[in-house]
Amino acid sequence: MSLLQPARSLPRSLGVRTLRHRVAFAFDIDGVLKAGPTVLEPARRALQLLEGNNARSVRVPYVYVTNGGGPSETERAALLQRELGVPVSPTQVIQAHTVMQSLVQDFGDKPVLMIGGPEGVPGASRAVMEGYGFRDVYTAQDIQAWAPPVYPFAKLDPRWHEAGAVRQADFSQVHFAAIMVFHDSRDWGRDIQLMCDVLRSRDGVVGNVGDDTHPQVPLFFSHGDLLWGNDFLASRFGQGAFQHAVAAVYKATSGRDLVATTFGKPERGTYEYAHERLRARAAELGHEAGELNTWMVGDNPASDIAGANGYGWASALVRTGVFRDVEGPPAHQPTIIVDDVEGAVLHALEQEWGTSAQRKH
Ligand SMILES: [Mg+2]
């Protein structure tokens, strides 16, 4: 019998049980589904299970919640679909900067300094921000093009001019209303310099250094991961490491503590957003409304697991990424520690369903 059938057609006891406990998943990507550019084989099997190749032949709602980013949600969904071999809707993709859309109401029509993001296609990250509704976005490259001495140790990549991606302005007249770190900085030196220029400015204008008693320009980071796992043998610095560096240089130059808002995991707002998406996904799959019992599957105790614990989700910590047993017990205790994402999904489904999750052949 399929869970997709309306509960009223089920025996009463079964209907009540299935309504009250409906399992859903939120997957981290890096270190869980992928190691660097490589898709992990257990990830393919885990997702096939959730797409209906399971003992109950039901499709299970899930979303991807990554502190990664760069492309739009539509582009990322298409990429994931090619990589993972399952259908992926843009509404299932929650990147670190996805939740920054909530800032459009306050800053949508004001000048914003956007920091970070992939530079393979000049201007592509700005286009993502514009897609969210921000209408006045400037990049570090725009300021470099306006005044190369603003950071003389790195030259603007000439492809920005060739592609027509530089947005020209007289930055002595631009009053930035906010700084948004969209994705990892590709040039910490340049970006810390420009951020401190604006943070220390008395009116949000680059270079108008004040006396550091004025209110600080609002600053937003898309996530705060200190470390992340890729295909290198040790963990790599994440945006959280960059935030530490910005704060240290700002403190050393201004004497003030940096004030910033951070999105992404483990921040509660990201989990609330994911929860709403999962409810919508369950409805799309034809499941009747009911309580969701959601499992976060992640490799990073400090973000994936800490956020799940804070929001009241179950969690599975995998051994394919940042977390390593040799470094001792995780700082944030998950519901279970498993070798990989397939182990996580099998454990969760079997616990929720009370039977084997794998289809009998
Ligand atoms: Mg990860």
Side-chain angles (χ1 to χ4, degrees):
M1 183 173 287
S2 166
L3 279 186
L4 291 173
Q5 290 177 296
R8 60 183 164 274
S9 71
L10 300 175
R12 188 172 186 83
S13 60
L14 182 60
V16 169
R17 183 165 66 83
T18 53
L19 268 178
R20 283 179 54 209
H21 286 292
R22 212 177 287 286
V23 62
F25 290 87
F27 294 107
D28 178 39
I29 297 177
D30 291 308
V32 175
L33 303 176
K34 296 176 66 182
T38 307
V39 175
L40 300 170
E41 279 306 316
R44 295 184 200 280
R45 294 193 294 270
L47 295 176
Q48 289 299 331
L49 270 165
L50 299 184
E51 288 294 331
N53 187 21
N54 56 57
R56 291 190 173 187
S57 298
V58 291
R59 292 180 75 190
V60 176
Y62 61 92
V63 292
Y64 305 90
V65 186
T66 175
N67 275 355
S72 70
E73 286 66 31
T74 302
E75 291 166 330
R76 175 56 75 100
L79 181 65
L80 283 172
Q81 182 162 307
R82 282 199 301 276
E83 291 174 329
L84 300 172
V86 291
V88 181
S89 160
T91 59
Q92 287 176 280
V93 177
I94 301 157
Q95 306 185 96
H97 45 72
T98 304
V99 189
M100 286 180 125
Q101 293 175 75
S102 61
L103 299 174
V104 168
Q105 58 187 8
D106 290 331
F107 300 104
D109 58 355
K110 299 189 174 86
V112 168
L113 175 57
M114 188 196 79
I115 294 292
E119 295 177 357
V121 178
S125 297
R126 178 184 358 237
V128 175
M129 290 286 277
E130 290 171 344
Y132 289 162
F134 295 103
R135 294 186 290 280
D136 201 5
V137 179
Y138 291 100
T139 65
Q141 288 84 353
D142 300 333
I143 302 175
Q144 260 187 307
W146 166 68
V150 79
Y151 193 68
F153 309 114
K155 300 288 175 243
L156 175 61
D157 183 338
R159 292 177 308 136
W160 276 70
H161 283 300
E162 291 160 14
V166 170
R167 187 176 166 206
Q168 294 188 337
D170 175 2
F171 284 97
S172 69
Q173 304 300 318
V174 175
H175 297 259
F176 285 111
I179 303 172
M180 297 184 192
V181 183
F182 169 81
H183 194 256
D184 295 73
S185 166
R186 266 56 178 178
D187 187 331
W188 284 31
R190 177 197 64 194
D191 292 347
I192 292 171
Q193 175 73 72
L194 294 177
M195 291 169 73
C196 286
D197 283 339
V198 173
L199 294 170
R200 300 195 60 204
S201 163
R202 55 182 182 271
D203 53 7
V205 174
V206 175
N208 274 2
V209 178
D211 58 5
D212 294 309
T213 59
H214 48 79
Q216 187 210 289
V217 168
L219 168 62
F220 303 91
F221 289 87
S222 65
H223 73 84
D225 278 1
L226 189 60
L227 300 171
W228 66 293
N230 68 353
D231 46 346
F232 189 62
L233 54 87
S235 299
R236 302 290 80 199
F237 290 158
Q239 204 187 115
F242 176 66
Q243 184 171 342
H244 278 289
V246 174
V249 175
Y250 180 65
K251 176 87 173 178
T253 51
S254 72
R256 302 171 80 181
D257 291 325
L258 188 71
V259 177
T261 300
T262 305
F263 294 94
K265 296 172 288 185
E267 302 300 325
R268 185 175 181 83
T270 291
Y271 286 77
E272 284 171 354
Y273 194 87
H275 177 70
E276 288 310 311
R277 290 291 181 86
L278 280 170
R279 289 171 61 92
R281 183 69 183 163
E284 270 174 36
L285 295 179
H287 296 228
E288 287 200 353
E291 182 187 335
L292 285 178
N293 196 14
T294 302
W295 286 73
M296 176 84 224
V297 185
D299 69 310
N300 190 334
S303 62
D304 303 315
I305 306 305
N309 288 347
Y311 196 62
W313 283 357
S315 62
L317 178 62
V318 296
R319 297 187 170 98
T320 49
V322 166
F323 170 71
R324 282 150 213 234
D325 292 282
V326 293
E327 292 169 11
H332 299 269
Q333 192 61 41
T335 310
I336 189 171
I337 301 176
V338 288
D339 284 346
D340 55 43
V341 62
E342 184 184 25
V345 166
L346 284 171
H347 173 88
L349 289 181
E350 286 168 12
Q351 178 157 327
E352 299 292 333
W353 291 350
T355 58
S356 170
Q358 276 172 318
R359 177 174 278 166
K360 292 179 183 63
H361 293 286

